Amino acid sequence: MKPYNNIAELIKNLEAEIRELSADVAMLKQEPHSLNEQIIFKYIDTGSTGKTKDFVRSLGIKAERGSFFSSGDVSKLIKDGADDIAPELLAIARKVVQMKKTGGAKR
């Protein structure tokens, strides 16, 4: 929870969190529109670059450099994004990365 000075500010902060969470839920309910979005959805689902890498390899897809897809490729995609990934979806994936780094949900 964000710091606040009075109840009105707390209410405002909580309402903003509700809007943000509602937008995240709406985004996660959508179907992926590209392969890169499918990869990002898989990462969000598993929270693991290794499991996501295994998923991409199971599809027979190789990295741009022509070799097998790696966990580093998943991390790079999350960090750098791509033109065919919705910015809102990338933001959710980056939140998952932060949650993993800090050991839990961060508000």
Side-chain angles (χ1 to χ4, degrees):
M1 186 179 314
K2 295 179 182 179
Y4 59 92
N5 293 316
N6 54 49
I7 290 179
E9 190 174 335
L10 173 61
I11 291 169
K12 183 178 174 184
N13 290 346
L14 291 173
E15 288 174 339
E17 280 186 49
I18 290 169
R19 284 189 300 276
E20 183 179 337
L21 290 172
S22 295
D24 287 353
V25 168
M27 174 55 66
L28 293 172
K29 285 182 176 181
Q30 294 182 16
E31 292 293 320
H33 295 73
S34 67
L35 175 64
N36 283 330
E37 280 196 357
Q38 189 176 2
I39 293 168
I40 297 297
F41 269 104
K42 188 64 172 181
Y43 173 76
I44 293 168
D45 182 38
T46 64
S48 166
T49 56
K51 289 178 183 176
T52 304
K53 165 211 47 149
D54 292 341
F55 166 75
V56 175
R57 286 183 179 185
S58 75
L59 297 176
I61 298 167
K62 293 190 176 184
E64 289 180 0
R65 64 186 177 285
S67 62
F68 286 112
F69 215 82
S70 70
S71 295
D73 293 321
V74 175
S75 296
K76 186 176 185 317
L77 183 60
I78 294 167
K79 181 181 176 197
D80 297 345
D83 292 340
D84 60 348
I85 302 174
E88 301 85 359
L89 187 61
L90 274 177
I92 295 169
R94 290 172 182 152
K95 287 179 195 176
V96 172
V97 170
Q98 282 305 113
M99 285 180 359
K100 288 186 64 167
K101 285 182 180 180
T102 59
K106 185 178 181 182
R107 290 187 158 221

